[in-house]
Amino acid sequence: MAERSASVLVIDDDPITLTFLSNLLGDKGYHVLKAVDGSEGLDLARRHRPDLILSDLVMPYHDGFEILGELKRDAILKAIPVIMVSMRDKEQDIVRGFDLGAEDYIVKPFGAHELLARVRRALRAARAGEALPASAQAELAKR
Amino acid sequence: MQGLKLLLTDLVIDFNYFVLFYFLVLNTIYLLLFLVSLREIWYFVRRTFFSDYQQIMQSEMTWPISVLVPAHNEEKTIVQTVRSLQMVNFGEFEVIVVNDGSTDGTLERVVEAFEMRRIDHVYRRSIPTAPVRGTYASLEHPNLLIVDKEKGGKSDALNAGINVSRFPLFCSVDADSIIEDNALLRVVKPFMEHPEETVAVGGIVRIVNGCEVREGRVNKVALPRSGLAVFQVVEYLRAFLTGRVGWSVLRSLLIISGAFGLYRRREVIEIGGYERSTDTEDLELVVRLHEHMRRKRRPYRIVFVPDPVCWTEAPATLKVLQRQRNRWHRGLLQSLWRHKTMLFNPRYGILGLVAMPYFFLFEMLGPFVEVVGYAAVLLSWFLGILNPGFFLLFLAVAILYGVFLSLAAILLEEISFRRYSSWEDLFRLLLFGVLENFGYRQMLALFKVRSFYDFLRGSRKWGKMDRTGFPERKRKEPVIERERARVVEEK
Amino acid sequence: MNEKILLIVVGAVGLVVISLTFSILLMKSWRQGRITRQRRKRRAIEPGLLRYLGSREGALERFIPMPVEGSLRAAVVELLLEHTSILKGEAMERITSALEQLGMVREEIGRLRSGSAWRRAAAAERLGLARSPLAVEPLAKRLEDPDEEVRLRAGRALGQIRGTLAVRPLIAALSEPSRWSTMRVAEILSNMGSEAEEELIRSYPDLAPKARVAALDILGRLRRPGSASFIEQRLRDEDPDVRARAAHALGQIGDPTAYRSLLEAMQDPEWPVRAMAAKALGRLRVPDSAPALALRLRDRQWWVRSNSAQALIELGETGTRTLLDVLDSPDIYARHQAVLMLQQTGLVDRYVDQLCRADEEATLARRVVSRIAEMGRVDRLEELSRVHRFESVRETLAGILRKAAPASGARA
C-alpha cells in the first residue's frame, strides 16, 4: 500500500505523547519525524515536507495555532494536512483549530486505534486532493 | 590617659561579650529557621501531586488572574516577556502592561507586535496614580492590554495596573524576569486552599545568569561563569529555601519578591495600593498588608510556596550589585522605620514579637555590628587585650557556621528541586558556599552600612525628596480629558 | 577555659559541615546511579510495552519477557501509569489489565490500609490512574477515611473508574471549608452525569450555604436542561451568592426558556446577581433581552455595565443596534461603556472604514462616528485619523473630529 511509506511529523513537547505516537505510527510502517517544540516542528516541516503533521497545541516557542497559521500562509506547505492533538477540549479551541485550517482535532486522552484511523483518512483525503487537476483544485478552494 | 585606656578596655571587652551573645542568638534563629524549612520542604515536595495543577488549570472554579507588568524603558525585552506570559499554563488570565513614561520604544514595540489599537477605556480609579495617557487593546489577543501613563515610578505603574485589572487576583511581574510555565498554578493553589484568608503568595526566585534562555524561556539551567554571580546564587538559595520558607511557616513572611508575587486585589486596594515613597515597594506592601489585616483583626495568610516560579537577572558587576543592595537595604530601613510601632507589639503576634525584632536587630543592625566587631578586634589588638587564640577560634566558629548555613541551603535544594543537575555545578556551589565567608559576606555588610548612612542622610531631607509626587502636568488639559477624568473618578 | 569550649564547638561544627558535604555528594551519586539504571531498564522495555499498548490483541508476555520483578517491574508500572493521561479506549483497557496482571492493583489496594495518611492518599491516586474495577470496593471504604486528603483522592479515583458509588459521600464533602476540596469534588461530580444531577437536586435542601453555591456550579457544568427549572427557582433564594451562582448556571446550561427569570434577576438589589444575570443572558442569545441589557448599561456597578455590554455583543445584530442606540443615552456611563464595547470588538474601526463609501452604510457610519467624536471618546478615532490606510478616510475623520471638538466643549 502506498500509505505505508507516508511520512508523518509529530510535534509535541510532552515526551510521553511524542514517544507513544512515534512508536505507534512507526510500527504501522509510517516514516516518522519528531519535534519537541514549535520552532523545531516548523523547521522540520519546511525541510522535509511530510505528508501529514500531528501537532500539540500548548507548546513552547510556537504554539499549535501559530504553527497552523505559518503553514497555511506558505504556498507549498499549506497543502499538508494538520491534525491537532491536544489536552484542551474547550469548544472555542477546537473551533479555532478548524478555522485556522486544521484537518482534524483530536482531544487527549485519545483512543490509539481511532487516532490511526483518523490519520489514514487524512492521508487518503490529501491524496484525493492531489489527484485532482489543478483547475478542479482551484474550484474547490473557491468553494 | 591611663583612665581613658581603662575605660576603653572595659568598653571593648563588654562589646566583645555583646558580639558573642549576638552571634549566639542570631545563629540559633538561623538554625531554627533551617529546621523548620527542612520539614516544610520535605513535606511539600513529597506531597505535591502533579495532577493537582492540572485540576487547577482545568477547573472553572479557579480564580482568574490579572498579570501586571510595569515597564519603564524595556524595549529590548518587553515583547518577549509578553509573549512568554501569554504561553503560561493557566485557565483564565489577562496580561496588563503598564508603560511607565518610557522614553524608548517600549510602547511602540508592544503595539506593533500584538497589533494593538487605542481604545477609550473606562476603568475604576480605585487608587490615585499619575495621569494615564491612553489604553491599547488588541482584537487578536483579547486578554492583553497596555496602559500608557506618565512616569510615576514602579509603584505608581503597578497601582495603575491594579485600577485597570478586572480579576480578583493580580500578579506583579518584573518586565525582565522569566516566568516558569506553571508559576501561576503554583502560587494560586494557596488561594484555593484557603480562599477566605490568603491575601498574598510568593515563590522562589532564581538567578538566570548562566542559564540558556530561548525566546523568554529557560531552556537549560546552569551556574553562571562569573564568581560574583555564583555567590549570589548561593545567597538566593539560602534566602529563599531557609529564610522565607521558615518565616512563612511562622506566619511572619515579610518579603514577597517584586519579581513575582500574587495578591488579592481587594486587600491591596484597601491599603491604598503600592506605596510610592519607599525604595522597595514589594517589602513595604507586604508589611502594610500584615499591619492592615492585624489591625482589622481579620484572619489572614501571607504564604510562601517553596517552588521555583521565576528567574531574574543578577547584577554582574560590583558597582551594580552595590547599587542594588544599597537600595534593598535602604528600603528595609525605611519600611522598618515606618512601621516601628509593630515592634514588640503583642497585637501583631509572632510577627511583632519575633519577626519584626529579628529584622530590626539582625537584618538591619547586623551589618553594623559586624563591621564594628572587626573594628573592635583591631582596637583590642591595639590595646593589647586581644587574646589571639580565643579570637581565632571564634572566627573559625563564625566562618564554619556560615559555611554550614550555605551547605544546608544546598542540601535543601538537592532534596527538593535539583535544578542544577551537573556535578560540576554542584561542586562549584559547594565551593562558593565556603568561599562566600571570606570576603563576599563582609563586602555585603559594608554595602549595607553604607546604605545606613544614606538612609540617615536621606531621611533628613525626606520632605524635599519628592520622588513620590506626580510630575506636574504641563500639558493643557483639554475638555475631553476632563470628561474622562470625571468618569474615571467613579469609585 | 573559654578556649576549650570554643575548640569543642569548632570541632563539632566542622564535623557537621564535613558530614553535610559528604551527604550531599553521596545523595547525588546515589540518585544519579538510580536514574541511569532506571533509564537503562526503561529503554529495554519501552518499545515492547508501547507495541503492547498499540496492539489490539496478545497478552503482555508476548511483548515483554515475563515475569518482571523488582526495579524492572517498577519501571514497567511507571511507564504504564504515565500513559494513562493520554490514552483511552482499548489502549487504556490494556493498561488496566497489565497493571492487574503485574500485581500493582493488588499492592496499592493493600496500601489503602496503611497507617500513614499520605500513603493511603498516594495509593488512591494511583488506583484512580489504573482504572481497575477491582479497586472500586476498597476505594469506596476510603470515603469514610478520617483524613480529608484521603477521602478526596479516593472520591476522585472512584470518579475516574466511573463508579457512581461515590456520588453521595462526595456531595457531603462539598461542605468542607476549603475551596480547593470543593473544586476537586466539583470536578469529579461534573464528570458524572445524570446520577450526580439527581442526587444534587435531591440533597440540595440539606446542604450548607457554601455547598449549595458549589452544587449550583456543578449543575451548571453538567449542562443538563432538565435541571434548569430547579435552578430558576434558586434565583429567588434569600442568599445573594446562591442567586448569583444560579444565574451563572443558567447561562452555562444555555436553555433559552430561562431568559424570563434572568430578566427578573437583572433587577436584583445585589450587583453580583445582576452581573451574572447579564453574562448569562449573553450566553442564551435571546434577542428580546436587548432592552433590559441596555438599561443595565446605566448600572452603578462597573461589572454589571461591562457584562451587559458584552452580552449585547453576543446577541448579534439586535445587540449591536441596541448599543448604537445607547450612544444617544443621557447616561454618561452607558454611553462610554457602549463605545468601549464597539471598539473592543472592532466595530468602530469598521464604521470608520465605511465612512467614504457611497451607500447608506456610509450614512450610518458617519452618524455613529460623529456621535462618538462628540462624546469626546476620541482616542481611537484620533489614532485612525493619522494611521488609516486611505487618505479620504483620514481626511473625513479629521473633519468629523474638528467639527466635534467644539461640540463636546460646549457640553462640558
Side-chain angles (χ1 to χ4, degrees):
Chain A
M1 259 167 85
E3 86 172 25
R4 295 275 147 171
S5 59
S7 61
V8 181
L9 167 61
V10 184
I11 315 173
D12 204 314
D13 63 328
D14 168 39
I16 294 164
T17 315
L18 186 63
T19 317
F20 180 81
L21 285 179
S22 48
N23 276 32
L24 183 73
L25 294 164
D27 284 345
K28 295 282 177 268
Y30 296 102
H31 177 63
V32 182
L33 297 158
K34 295 195 274 186
V36 294
D37 61 50
S39 53
E40 192 188 352
L42 272 177
D43 193 43
L44 284 179
R46 290 201 180 98
R47 269 195 289 147
H48 298 278
R49 285 194 226 148
D51 298 312
L52 176 70
I53 296 175
L54 292 181
S55 170
D56 187 14
L57 188 50
V58 185
M59 284 183 296
Y61 309 127
H62 293 282
D63 68 21
F65 291 142
E66 283 180 292
I67 293 183
L68 254 181
E70 278 293 304
L71 292 173
K72 296 299 163 191
R73 267 194 292 278
D74 188 301
I76 301 163
L77 297 179
K78 75 174 172 202
I80 304 175
V82 180
I83 300 180
M84 307 299 297
V85 183
S86 170
M87 220 58 145
R88 292 224 204 158
D89 57 354
K90 290 224 173 84
E91 189 180 342
Q92 60 197 49
D93 288 317
I94 300 177
V95 169
R96 190 163 170 215
F98 281 119
D99 284 350
L100 284 169
E103 176 71 26
D104 204 344
Y105 193 109
I106 298 175
V107 175
K108 277 192 232 176
F110 51 80
H113 305 290
E114 181 189 327
L115 183 131
L116 285 172
R118 288 176 187 273
V119 165
R120 286 196 296 272
R121 188 192 63 171
L123 286 169
R124 257 197 325 268
R127 261 198 307 276
E130 271 166 34
L132 288 173
S135 60
Q137 276 191 48
E139 192 63 30
L140 266 177
K142 250 186 254 164
R143 263 188 267 156
Chain B
M1 193 58 209
Q2 197 59 30
L4 183 70
K5 192 175 173 188
L6 226 63
L7 186 73
L8 212 58
T9 310
D10 272 356
L11 214 68
V12 168
I13 290 177
D14 283 350
F15 184 74
N16 282 347
Y17 275 112
F18 166 71
V19 169
L20 197 67
F21 179 70
Y22 187 89
F23 174 82
L24 220 66
V25 175
L26 176 61
N27 286 311
T28 313
I29 296 180
Y30 279 157
L31 188 68
L32 290 177
L33 279 178
F34 164 67
L35 292 175
V36 169
S37 306
L38 181 67
R39 186 171 173 262
E40 183 68 11
I41 289 183
W42 182 259
Y43 277 107
F44 180 84
V45 171
R46 288 190 26 149
R47 308 209 157 176
T48 304
F49 287 97
F50 185 72
S51 66
D52 292 355
Y53 293 127
Q54 253 171 353
Q55 236 173 316
I56 292 180
M57 175 145 164
Q58 282 160 0
S59 173
E60 287 171 29
M61 289 170 80
T62 305
W63 285 344
I65 294 178
S66 302
V67 181
L68 311 183
V69 191
H72 176 70
N73 292 349
E74 305 275 2
E75 64 174 9
K76 284 205 191 78
T77 52
I78 190 71
V79 171
Q80 201 52 262
T81 305
V82 174
R83 201 157 271 156
S84 63
L85 275 175
Q86 288 189 313
M87 305 282 260
V88 154
N89 294 333
F90 201 73
E92 191 179 7
F93 68 100
E94 60 178 355
V95 176
I96 299 171
V97 178
V98 185
N99 176 38
D100 190 43
S102 295
T103 48
D104 66 354
T106 304
L107 179 68
E108 292 74 13
R109 291 292 129 75
V110 185
V111 165
E112 230 166 78
F114 300 96
E115 296 169 52
M116 309 203 65
R117 45 181 87 188
R118 269 191 95 136
I119 53 166
D120 295 80
H121 205 275
V122 191
Y123 70 92
R124 295 167 284 185
R125 186 161 161 164
S126 316
I127 309 167
T129 67
V132 169
R133 291 190 288 226
T135 312
Y136 297 77
S138 163
L139 289 180
E140 295 292 306
H141 308 270
N143 286 329
L144 176 63
L145 208 64
I146 314 179
V147 179
D148 179 30
K149 64 184 274 294
E150 283 171 23
K151 186 160 165 30
K154 191 177 167 192
S155 302
D156 198 58
L158 283 165
N159 287 340
I162 294 173
N163 283 339
V164 182
S165 68
R166 291 187 294 149
F167 296 138
L169 301 178
F170 76 85
C171 178
S172 73
V173 170
D174 272 354
D176 58 352
S177 60
I178 295 172
I179 307 303
E180 293 252 317
D181 285 350
N182 291 327
L184 290 179
L185 295 174
R186 288 174 187 148
V187 290
V188 87
K189 201 175 162 206
F191 281 97
M192 299 294 102
E193 284 166 336
H194 301 281
E196 311 290 330
E197 296 176 5
T198 311
V199 293
V201 177
I204 297 177
V205 176
R206 289 287 161 96
I207 286 179
V208 76
N209 306 39
C211 298
E212 188 187 305
V213 177
R214 218 182 110 200
E215 294 184 35
R217 287 169 46 96
V218 173
N219 229 6
K220 198 169 156 262
V221 179
L223 275 186
R225 304 282 9 132
S226 128
L228 188 65
V230 183
F231 280 134
Q232 293 176 73
V233 171
V234 176
E235 204 192 344
Y236 269 56
L237 284 181
R238 214 175 41 233
F240 282 97
L241 290 177
T242 62
R244 297 199 191 169
V245 175
W247 289 119
S248 165
V249 174
L250 301 174
R251 299 261 189 127
S252 314
L253 182 68
L254 278 184
I255 310 174
I256 287 175
S257 168
F260 187 91
L262 187 63
Y263 305 86
R264 196 152 67 181
R265 189 172 183 269
R266 192 181 58 197
E267 277 73 13
V268 173
I269 288 180
E270 277 171 10
I271 60 170
Y274 283 88
E275 173 62 48
R276 285 178 302 261
S277 67
T278 59
D279 282 294
T280 47
E281 78 297 331
D282 41 2
L283 169 77
E284 178 65 19
L285 182 75
V286 176
V287 176
R288 273 168 54 234
L289 276 175
H290 273 295
E291 196 186 14
H292 176 73
M293 299 305 283
R294 295 268 184 182
R295 217 179 30 227
K296 297 263 157 168
R297 296 180 191 286
R298 302 217 297 249
Y300 73 104
R301 281 161 193 266
I302 293 178
V303 184
F304 183 80
V305 181
D307 215 346
V309 289
C310 125
W311 298 79
T312 185
E313 186 88 26
T317 64
L318 272 180
K319 209 175 128 201
V320 182
L321 181 68
Q322 181 186 356
R323 211 181 314 140
Q324 182 197 49
R325 294 313 160 96
N326 195 305
R327 187 176 70 83
W328 286 2
H329 207 65
R330 218 168 45 227
L332 177 73
L333 296 171
Q334 289 160 352
S335 290
L336 288 177
W337 188 245
R338 279 166 156 262
H339 302 282
K340 51 186 178 298
T341 51
M342 290 168 79
L343 195 68
F344 294 116
N345 192 337
R347 182 189 199 167
Y348 295 101
I350 296 186
L351 177 72
L353 295 177
V354 182
M356 286 300 268
Y358 163 81
F359 273 88
F360 241 90
L361 294 174
F362 297 110
E363 289 288 319
M364 183 173 124
L365 296 175
F368 221 65
V369 173
E370 195 170 340
V371 171
V372 176
Y374 291 123
V377 169
L378 276 179
L379 198 60
S380 350
W381 177 72
F382 187 70
L383 291 171
I385 53 165
L386 182 75
N387 178 341
F390 183 85
F391 167 68
L392 285 177
L393 280 173
F394 183 74
L395 200 66
V397 174
I399 287 174
L400 276 174
Y401 203 82
V403 173
F404 164 74
L405 289 173
S406 300
L407 294 191
I410 298 171
L411 177 81
L412 283 181
E413 169 71 8
E414 276 298 305
I415 63 170
S416 53
F417 310 111
R418 300 182 291 276
R419 291 298 171 97
Y420 297 99
S421 53
S422 79
W423 277 101
E424 194 203 335
D425 279 353
L426 182 62
F427 279 124
R428 288 187 72 212
L429 273 182
L430 291 172
L431 179 69
F432 278 80
V434 176
L435 285 183
E436 109 181 299
N437 295 287
F438 302 92
Y440 181 71
R441 241 170 210 214
Q442 290 76 1
M443 184 181 75
L444 290 189
L446 272 177
F447 287 172
K448 287 176 184 170
V449 171
R450 170 75 204 275
S451 87
F452 207 96
Y453 171 74
D454 288 353
F455 166 71
L456 290 178
R457 231 180 36 162
S459 66
R460 244 186 290 127
K461 46 177 187 179
W462 250 2
K464 264 199 288 177
M465 194 171 72
D466 204 16
R467 225 169 347 94
T468 71
F470 302 128
E472 224 169 303
R473 295 184 67 177
K474 294 261 163 50
R475 206 150 52 96
K476 219 171 55 197
E477 196 175 337
V479 187
I480 303 155
E481 280 274 295
R482 228 178 300 150
E483 195 190 13
R484 179 184 321 148
R486 230 181 32 222
V487 178
V488 151
E489 276 325 324
E490 157 240 355
K491 78 160 174 52
Chain C
M1 186 56 216
N2 272 343
E3 284 179 32
K4 214 170 215 167
I5 297 178
L6 267 181
L7 202 63
I8 294 170
V9 174
V10 170
V13 179
L15 214 65
V16 170
V17 164
I18 290 169
S19 52
L20 206 57
T21 315
F22 274 105
S23 52
I24 291 174
L25 294 177
L26 273 176
M27 241 171 62
K28 179 154 180 120
S29 49
W30 177 73
R31 176 172 288 123
Q32 293 226 312
R34 207 184 55 177
I35 290 175
T36 343
R37 280 197 302 280
Q38 273 173 349
R39 242 184 237 148
R40 207 179 313 131
K41 296 219 168 88
R42 202 189 159 104
R43 261 201 303 275
I45 48 142
E46 192 169 44
L49 216 46
L50 291 184
R51 211 168 306 129
Y52 164 76
L53 293 182
S55 310
R56 308 199 88 130
E57 48 207 43
L60 189 55
E61 46 270 27
R62 266 189 48 201
F63 298 88
I64 54 170
M66 290 283 268
V68 285
E69 261 153 18
S71 59
L72 186 63
R73 177 168 162 277
V76 174
V77 168
E78 268 335 290
L79 205 134
L80 289 169
L81 285 180
E82 279 168 9
H83 285 80
T84 56
S85 66
I86 62 165
L87 291 174
K88 64 175 188 189
E90 268 177 74
M92 185 60 228
E93 282 161 28
R94 283 170 82 76
I95 291 181
T96 306
S97 67
L99 288 171
E100 284 170 1
Q101 194 187 339
L102 289 166
M104 175 269 187
V105 172
R106 203 173 348 100
E107 213 174 87
E108 297 291 345
I109 289 176
R111 285 211 188 106
L112 280 179
R113 287 193 304 271
S114 153
S116 133
W118 152 252
R119 285 243 170 84
R120 298 198 297 277
E125 177 88 8
R126 285 158 74 87
L127 284 169
L129 293 179
R131 310 244 196 320
S132 164
L134 298 177
V136 168
E137 202 68 29
L139 278 171
K141 282 199 199 113
R142 284 300 120 216
L143 293 170
E144 313 280 312
D145 199 281
D147 187 86
E148 190 205 338
E149 192 67 30
V150 179
R151 290 199 297 274
L152 279 172
R153 304 239 176 237
R156 188 167 128 88
L158 281 170
Q160 282 168 313
I161 311 175
R162 310 248 173 275
T164 41
L165 270 169
V167 173
R168 211 168 289 181
L170 281 173
I171 290 176
L174 282 179
S175 306
E176 312 252 8
S178 147
R179 186 183 180 87
W180 174 221
S181 48
T182 314
M183 257 169 74
R184 296 196 287 181
V185 173
E187 196 223 277
I188 305 163
L189 289 171
S190 312
N191 291 321
M192 283 188 168
S194 65
E195 197 124 353
E197 179 203 2
E198 283 158 23
E199 189 59 32
L200 275 171
I201 293 180
R202 208 188 55 75
S203 54
Y204 184 87
D206 306 326
L207 293 176
K210 243 187 209 145
R212 291 184 174 186
V213 172
L216 287 169
D217 263 332
I218 300 166
L219 285 172
R221 288 174 64 185
L222 286 168
R223 294 198 172 83
R224 304 181 70 86
S227 52
S229 66
F230 171 79
I231 302 175
E232 274 180 72
Q233 288 160 28
R234 304 281 86 71
L235 286 174
R236 291 189 199 93
D237 198 283
E238 55 190 34
D239 181 351
D241 272 353
V242 167
R243 297 201 298 275
R245 298 323 291 177
H248 182 68
L250 286 172
Q252 282 185 303
I253 293 172
D255 179 3
T257 54
Y259 96 97
R260 273 177 208 286
S261 3
L262 282 171
L263 284 186
E264 238 171 84
M266 292 283 276
Q267 314 286 335
D268 200 281
E270 295 289 330
W271 71 264
V273 184
R274 299 197 298 274
M276 282 302 170
K279 199 171 174 185
L281 283 170
R283 290 198 181 201
L284 298 190
R285 300 207 175 101
V286 179
D288 286 358
S289 48
L293 286 168
L295 208 62
R296 281 297 132 220
L297 288 178
R298 301 160 68 166
D299 202 282
R300 282 193 325 283
Q301 272 296 333
W302 180 88
W303 267 113
V304 182
R305 297 200 299 275
S306 176
N307 283 358
S308 301
Q310 188 82 47
L312 279 170
I313 287 291
E314 310 276 344
L315 291 189
E317 212 172 312
T318 321
T320 315
R321 230 177 305 126
T322 312
L323 270 179
L324 292 180
D325 292 341
V326 172
L327 294 180
D328 295 318
S329 156
D331 186 280
I332 183 170
Y333 295 150
R335 289 200 308 267
H336 288 183
Q337 194 66 51
V339 174
L340 178 64
M341 199 36 72
L342 292 171
Q343 285 179 344
Q344 277 180 341
T345 46
L347 282 169
V348 167
D349 285 34
R350 208 177 307 158
Y351 287 124
V352 169
D353 287 343
Q354 292 167 352
L355 275 180
C356 293
R357 278 167 56 165
D359 52 14
E360 290 157 44
E361 309 264 331
T363 328
L364 175 68
R366 212 167 229 293
R367 200 170 62 79
V368 172
V369 173
S370 312
R371 190 68 202 96
I372 295 174
E374 281 163 24
M375 245 184 262
R377 309 300 282 174
V378 292
D379 277 5
R380 175 63 181 160
L381 295 182
E382 276 175 353
E383 186 180 55
L384 279 171
S385 74
R386 288 192 308 272
V387 302
H388 197 277
R389 59 187 189 284
F390 294 128
E391 202 191 333
S392 55
V393 172
R394 288 201 299 273
E395 273 170 13
T396 316
L397 192 53
I400 292 175
L401 285 169
R402 260 197 310 279
K403 217 169 79 192
S408 75
R411 223 158 21 93

